[in-house]
Amino acid sequence: MEDLYSSTLGTLERTFMPYGSEYQHYIDFQTFRDMKQVAKGKRPVYIDLDIEEIAEMKTRYIVDLSWKGVYMTVTVPLSSMFQATVEMYGKPPRLLIARLERINGREEDSLVPTSLKEEFTRKKGLGETLGDFATKLFLFLDSYLEHNVTGAREESPPDNQVSEQAAEIFEGWVFPFAESDPELQAGWRSLKKRTQKQFERIDELDIEDQHALETMILKDVPAFLDSFSILSPENKQKKKEELKETMEDLRKFIERLEAKEEETYTKDFARSKGIITTKYKDSGREAFSSGDEDPH
């Protein structure tokens, strides 16, 4: 019976994985078949899922895990500023075989391959299966972290002077005119939230940026709101385009600060990921740097 089972698998491999001999040492046929079952929703992704480590950062989680012997590192962002990624390292974890990312312009929750080992690019269906499986895996982990990690923490009120001061300042950023325009209101709320976040991390900014941000928050915006509030309804409508230009200038300034923040977090991310992957060594060499390089 065992010989029949092996013979059947061999036939399936030759039929559906014609390049099997080239990538069989990365993902075996049975594991790939199970991935397809997960991708089609015929079995849950969490069966056989072994979460090795979860590294919490300021803006994302890095989840180190294995599934049926395939090692993966998944980045789950806490903010829309950052992209979700899934990296797969095969069996055993020696080479990066696939990197899958959320791409702008695609379905919001869809992850697609941005890098594949050459062996996996020769049959389109292989990359699509990896992408569909990665998407299911990411959605599960996103939900898992939300309910089992972040949900377990008790929310505590701000206990530092900067947070209390920020809350008090931004309560005064009232803009009744925006309430008459849903798009304008959404833009104002987003700008207010992002500006408050940068103000709460003001000690991390350069001296020049600290001064510019404080001036904007404590002087420029309050003065702008006061002057706009005394205009007649007709003049407020006439000034609408000028108002949008002003908000756009403020948005660009905050984006510049966010870009610097992202650069800092990217460096921290690389350091944390390096710590995680030190568990995977092979004869004194990094498991992820042995042999071929991943094509990019």
Side-chain angles (χ1 to χ4, degrees), residues 144-194:
Y144 173 86
L145 290 170
E146 181 179 357
H147 290 93
N148 294 279
V149 180
T150 58
R153 295 198 199 90
E154 293 184 359
E155 291 292 332
S156 57
D159 57 359
N160 61 74
Q161 186 176 356
V162 175
S163 295
E164 292 176 354
Q165 182 185 9
E168 183 178 345
I169 290 172
F170 288 95
E171 281 179 5
W173 278 35
V174 180
F175 196 24
F177 179 75
E179 296 175 4
S180 61
D181 185 326
E183 182 181 352
L184 192 62
Q185 186 179 38
W188 180 252
R189 285 178 178 172
S190 174
L191 181 62
K192 180 178 175 180
K193 181 179 179 180
R194 292 163 67 183

Coordinates of all heavy atoms in Angstrom, one line a residue, residues 144-194:
Y144 N -5.0 36.9 14.5 CA -4.4 36.3 15.7 C -3.7 37.3 16.6 O -4.0 37.3 17.8 CB -3.4 35.2 15.3 CG -2.6 34.6 16.4 CD1 -3.1 33.5 17.2 CD2 -1.4 35.1 16.8 CE1 -2.4 33.0 18.2 CE2 -0.7 34.6 17.9 CZ -1.2 33.5 18.6 OH -0.5 33.0 19.6
L145 N -2.9 38.2 16.0 CA -2.2 39.2 16.8 C -3.2 40.2 17.5 O -3.1 40.6 18.6 CB -1.2 39.9 16.0 CG 0.0 39.1 15.5 CD1 0.8 39.9 14.5 CD2 0.9 38.8 16.7
E146 N -4.2 40.5 16.7 CA -5.2 41.5 17.2 C -6.0 40.9 18.4 O -6.2 41.7 19.4 CB -6.2 41.8 16.1 CG -7.3 42.8 16.5 CD -8.2 43.2 15.4 OE1 -8.1 42.7 14.3 OE2 -9.2 44.0 15.6
H147 N -6.3 39.6 18.4 CA -7.1 39.1 19.5 C -6.3 38.5 20.6 O -6.7 38.5 21.7 CB -8.0 38.0 18.9 CG -9.1 38.5 18.0 ND1 -9.0 38.6 16.7 CD2 -10.3 39.0 18.4 CE1 -10.1 39.1 16.2 NE2 -10.9 39.4 17.2
N148 N -5.1 38.0 20.3 CA -4.3 37.3 21.3 C -3.1 38.1 21.9 O -2.6 37.7 22.9 CB -3.7 36.0 20.7 CG -4.8 35.0 20.4 OD1 -5.3 34.3 21.3 ND2 -5.3 35.0 19.1
V149 N -2.7 39.2 21.1 CA -1.6 39.9 21.6 C -2.0 41.3 22.0 O -2.0 41.7 23.2 CB -0.5 40.0 20.6 CG1 0.7 40.8 21.1 CG2 0.0 38.6 20.2
T150 N -2.5 42.1 21.0 CA -2.9 43.5 21.3 C -4.1 43.5 22.2 O -4.2 44.4 23.0 CB -3.1 44.3 20.0 OG1 -4.1 43.6 19.3 CG2 -1.9 44.4 19.2
G151 N -5.0 42.6 22.0 CA -6.2 42.6 22.8 C -6.0 42.2 24.2 O -6.8 42.5 25.1
A152 N -4.9 41.6 24.5 CA -4.6 41.2 25.9 C -4.0 42.3 26.7 O -4.0 42.2 28.0 CB -3.5 40.1 25.9
R153 N -3.6 43.4 26.1 CA -3.1 44.5 26.9 C -4.2 45.4 27.4 O -5.2 45.7 26.7 CB -2.2 45.4 26.0 CG -0.9 44.7 25.5 CD 0.1 45.7 25.1 NE 1.1 45.1 24.3 CZ 1.0 45.0 23.0 NH1 -0.1 45.4 22.3 NH2 1.9 44.4 22.3
E154 N -4.0 45.9 28.6 CA -5.0 46.9 29.1 C -4.5 48.3 28.7 O -3.4 48.7 28.8 CB -5.0 46.8 30.6 CG -5.6 45.5 31.2 CD -5.7 45.6 32.7 OE1 -5.3 46.6 33.3 OE2 -6.1 44.6 33.2
E155 N -5.5 49.0 28.1 CA -5.2 50.4 27.7 C -5.0 51.2 29.0 O -5.9 51.3 29.8 CB -6.4 50.9 26.9 CG -6.5 50.3 25.5 CD -5.4 50.6 24.6 OE1 -4.8 51.7 24.8 OE2 -5.0 49.8 23.7
S156 N -3.9 51.9 29.0 CA -3.7 52.8 30.1 C -3.7 54.3 29.7 O -3.2 54.6 28.6 CB -2.3 52.5 30.8 OG -1.3 52.6 29.8
P157 N -4.2 55.2 30.5 CA -4.2 56.6 30.1 C -2.8 57.1 30.0 O -1.8 56.6 30.6 CB -4.9 57.3 31.3 CG -4.7 56.3 32.4 CD -4.6 55.0 31.9
P158 N -2.6 58.2 29.2 CA -1.2 58.7 29.0 C -0.7 59.2 30.4 O -1.4 59.9 31.1 CB -1.5 59.9 28.0 CG -2.9 60.2 28.1 CD -3.6 58.9 28.4
D159 N 0.5 58.9 30.7 CA 1.1 59.2 32.0 C 2.3 60.1 31.8 O 3.0 60.4 32.8 CB 1.5 58.0 32.7 CG 2.4 57.1 32.0 OD1 2.8 57.4 30.8 OD2 2.8 56.0 32.5
N160 N 2.6 60.6 30.6 CA 3.7 61.5 30.4 C 3.2 62.9 30.0 O 2.1 63.0 29.5 CB 4.7 61.0 29.4 CG 4.1 60.8 28.0 OD1 3.9 61.8 27.4 ND2 3.8 59.6 27.6
Q161 N 4.0 63.8 30.3 CA 3.6 65.2 30.2 C 3.3 65.6 28.7 O 2.4 66.3 28.4 CB 4.7 66.1 30.7 CG 4.3 67.6 30.7 CD 5.4 68.5 31.4 OE1 6.4 67.9 31.9 NE2 5.2 69.8 31.4
V162 N 4.1 65.0 27.8 CA 3.9 65.3 26.4 C 2.6 64.8 25.9 O 1.9 65.6 25.2 CB 5.1 64.6 25.5 CG1 4.8 64.9 24.1 CG2 6.4 65.2 25.9
S163 N 2.2 63.6 26.2 CA 0.9 63.1 25.8 C -0.3 63.9 26.3 O -1.2 64.2 25.6 CB 0.7 61.6 26.2 OG 1.7 60.8 25.6
E164 N -0.2 64.3 27.6 CA -1.2 65.1 28.2 C -1.3 66.5 27.5 O -2.4 67.0 27.3 CB -1.0 65.2 29.7 CG -1.2 63.9 30.5 CD -0.8 64.1 31.9 OE1 -0.3 65.1 32.3 OE2 -1.0 63.1 32.7
Q165 N -0.1 67.0 27.3 CA -0.1 68.3 26.6 C -0.6 68.2 25.2 O -1.4 69.1 24.8 CB 1.4 68.9 26.6 CG 1.5 70.2 26.0 CD 3.0 70.7 25.9 OE1 3.9 69.9 26.1 NE2 3.2 71.9 25.5
A166 N -0.3 67.2 24.5 CA -0.8 67.0 23.1 C -2.3 66.9 23.1 O -2.9 67.5 22.2 CB -0.1 65.7 22.5
A167 N -2.8 66.1 24.0 CA -4.3 65.9 24.0 C -5.0 67.2 24.3 O -6.0 67.6 23.6 CB -4.7 64.9 25.1
E168 N -4.4 68.0 25.2 CA -5.0 69.3 25.5 C -4.9 70.3 24.3 O -5.9 71.0 23.9 CB -4.3 69.9 26.7 CG -4.9 71.3 27.1 CD -4.2 71.8 28.4 OE1 -3.5 71.0 29.0 OE2 -4.4 73.0 28.7
I169 N -3.8 70.3 23.6 CA -3.6 71.2 22.5 C -4.5 70.8 21.3 O -5.2 71.7 20.7 CB -2.1 71.1 22.0 CG1 -1.2 71.8 23.0 CG2 -2.0 71.8 20.6 CD1 0.3 71.6 22.7
F170 N -4.6 69.5 21.0 CA -5.4 69.2 19.8 C -6.9 69.1 20.0 O -7.6 69.1 19.1 CB -4.8 67.8 19.3 CG -3.5 67.9 18.6 CD1 -2.3 67.6 19.4 CD2 -3.4 68.3 17.3 CE1 -1.1 67.8 18.8 CE2 -2.1 68.5 16.7 CZ -1.0 68.2 17.5
E171 N -7.3 69.2 21.3 CA -8.7 69.4 21.5 C -9.2 70.8 21.0 O -10.3 71.0 20.7 CB -9.0 69.3 23.0 CG -9.1 67.9 23.5 CD -9.3 67.8 25.0 OE1 -9.6 68.9 25.6 OE2 -9.3 66.7 25.6
G172 N -8.2 71.7 20.9 CA -8.5 73.0 20.4 C -8.5 73.2 18.9 O -8.8 74.2 18.4
W173 N -8.1 72.1 18.2 CA -8.1 72.1 16.8 C -9.5 71.8 16.2 O -9.7 70.9 15.5 CB -7.1 71.1 16.2 CG -5.7 71.6 16.3 CD1 -5.1 72.4 17.2 CD2 -4.6 71.2 15.3 NE1 -3.7 72.6 16.9 CE2 -3.5 71.9 15.7 CE3 -4.6 70.5 14.2 CZ2 -2.3 71.8 15.0 CZ3 -3.4 70.4 13.5 CH2 -2.3 71.0 13.9
V174 N -10.4 72.7 16.6 CA -11.8 72.5 16.1 C -12.0 73.3 14.9 O -11.6 74.5 14.8 CB -12.8 73.0 17.2 CG1 -14.2 72.8 16.7 CG2 -12.6 72.3 18.5
F175 N -12.6 72.6 13.9 CA -12.8 73.3 12.5 C -14.2 73.0 12.0 O -14.4 72.1 11.2 CB -11.7 72.7 11.6 CG -11.5 73.5 10.3 CD1 -11.9 74.8 10.3 CD2 -11.0 72.9 9.2 CE1 -11.7 75.6 9.1 CE2 -10.9 73.6 8.0 CZ -11.2 75.0 8.0
P176 N -15.2 73.8 12.5 CA -16.6 73.5 12.2 C -16.9 73.5 10.6 O -17.7 72.8 10.1 CB -17.3 74.6 12.9 CG -16.4 75.0 14.0 CD -15.0 74.9 13.5
F177 N -16.1 74.4 9.9 CA -16.4 74.5 8.5 C -16.2 73.2 7.8 O -16.9 72.9 6.8 CB -15.4 75.6 7.9 CG -15.6 75.7 6.4 CD1 -16.7 76.4 5.9 CD2 -14.6 75.2 5.5 CE1 -16.8 76.5 4.5 CE2 -14.8 75.4 4.1 CZ -15.9 76.0 3.6
A178 N -15.2 72.4 8.2 CA -14.9 71.1 7.6 C -16.1 70.1 7.7 O -16.2 69.2 6.9 CB -13.7 70.5 8.2
E179 N -17.0 70.3 8.7 CA -18.1 69.4 8.9 C -19.1 69.4 7.8 O -19.9 68.5 7.6 CB -18.7 69.7 10.2 CG -17.8 69.4 11.4 CD -18.5 69.8 12.8 OE1 -19.7 70.2 12.7 OE2 -17.8 69.8 13.8
S180 N -19.1 70.4 7.0 CA -20.0 70.5 5.9 C -19.5 69.8 4.6 O -20.3 69.7 3.6 CB -20.3 72.0 5.5 OG -19.0 72.7 5.1
D181 N -18.3 69.3 4.6 CA -17.7 68.7 3.5 C -17.0 67.4 4.0 O -16.0 67.4 4.6 CB -16.6 69.6 2.8 CG -16.1 69.1 1.6 OD1 -15.9 67.8 1.5 OD2 -15.7 69.8 0.7
P182 N -17.6 66.2 3.7 CA -17.1 64.9 4.1 C -15.6 64.7 3.8 O -14.8 64.2 4.6 CB -18.0 63.9 3.5 CG -19.3 64.6 3.2 CD -18.9 66.0 2.9
E183 N -15.2 65.1 2.5 CA -13.8 64.9 2.1 C -12.9 65.8 2.9 O -11.8 65.4 3.4 CB -13.7 65.2 0.6 CG -12.3 65.0 0.1 CD -12.2 65.3 -1.4 OE1 -13.2 65.5 -2.1 OE2 -11.1 65.3 -1.9
L184 N -13.3 67.0 3.1 CA -12.5 68.0 3.9 C -12.4 67.5 5.3 O -11.3 67.6 5.9 CB -13.1 69.4 3.8 CG -12.3 70.6 4.2 CD1 -11.0 70.7 3.4 CD2 -13.1 71.8 4.2
Q185 N -13.5 67.1 5.9 CA -13.5 66.6 7.2 C -12.6 65.4 7.5 O -11.8 65.4 8.4 CB -14.9 66.2 7.7 CG -15.1 65.9 9.1 CD -16.5 65.5 9.5 OE1 -17.2 64.9 8.7 NE2 -17.0 66.0 10.7
A186 N -12.6 64.5 6.5 CA -11.7 63.3 6.6 C -10.3 63.7 6.5 O -9.4 63.2 7.3 CB -12.1 62.3 5.5
G187 N -10.0 64.6 5.6 CA -8.6 65.1 5.5 C -8.1 65.8 6.7 O -7.0 65.7 7.2
W188 N -9.0 66.6 7.4 CA -8.6 67.4 8.6 C -8.4 66.4 9.7 O -7.4 66.6 10.5 CB -9.7 68.4 8.9 CG -9.4 69.2 10.1 CD1 -10.0 69.1 11.4 CD2 -8.4 70.2 10.3 NE1 -9.5 69.9 12.2 CE2 -8.5 70.6 11.6 CE3 -7.5 70.7 9.4 CZ2 -7.6 71.6 12.1 CZ3 -6.6 71.7 9.9 CH2 -6.7 72.2 11.2
R189 N -9.3 65.4 9.9 CA -9.1 64.5 11.0 C -7.8 63.7 10.8 O -7.1 63.4 11.8 CB -10.3 63.5 11.0 CG -11.6 64.1 11.5 CD -12.7 63.0 11.5 NE -13.9 63.6 12.0 CZ -15.1 63.0 12.0 NH1 -15.2 61.8 11.3 NH2 -16.2 63.5 12.5
S190 N -7.5 63.3 9.6 CA -6.2 62.5 9.3 C -5.0 63.4 9.7 O -4.1 63.0 10.3 CB -6.2 62.1 7.9 OG -5.0 61.5 7.6
L191 N -5.1 64.6 9.2 CA -3.9 65.6 9.4 C -3.8 65.8 10.9 O -2.6 65.8 11.4 CB -4.2 66.9 8.7 CG -3.1 68.0 8.8 CD1 -1.8 67.5 8.2 CD2 -3.6 69.2 8.1
K192 N -4.9 66.0 11.6 CA -4.8 66.2 13.1 C -4.2 65.0 13.8 O -3.3 65.2 14.7 CB -6.2 66.5 13.6 CG -6.4 66.8 15.0 CD -7.8 67.1 15.4 CE -8.0 67.2 16.9 NZ -9.4 67.5 17.2
K193 N -4.6 63.8 13.4 CA -4.1 62.6 14.1 C -2.6 62.4 13.8 O -1.8 62.1 14.7 CB -4.9 61.4 13.6 CG -4.5 60.1 14.2 CD -5.4 59.0 13.7 CE -5.0 57.6 14.3 NZ -5.8 56.5 13.7
R194 N -2.2 62.6 12.6 CA -0.8 62.4 12.2 C 0.1 63.5 12.8 O 1.2 63.2 13.3 CB -0.7 62.4 10.7 CG -1.3 61.2 10.0 CD -1.5 61.4 8.5 NE -0.3 61.5 7.8 CZ -0.2 61.7 6.5 NH1 -1.3 61.9 5.8 NH2 0.9 61.8 5.9

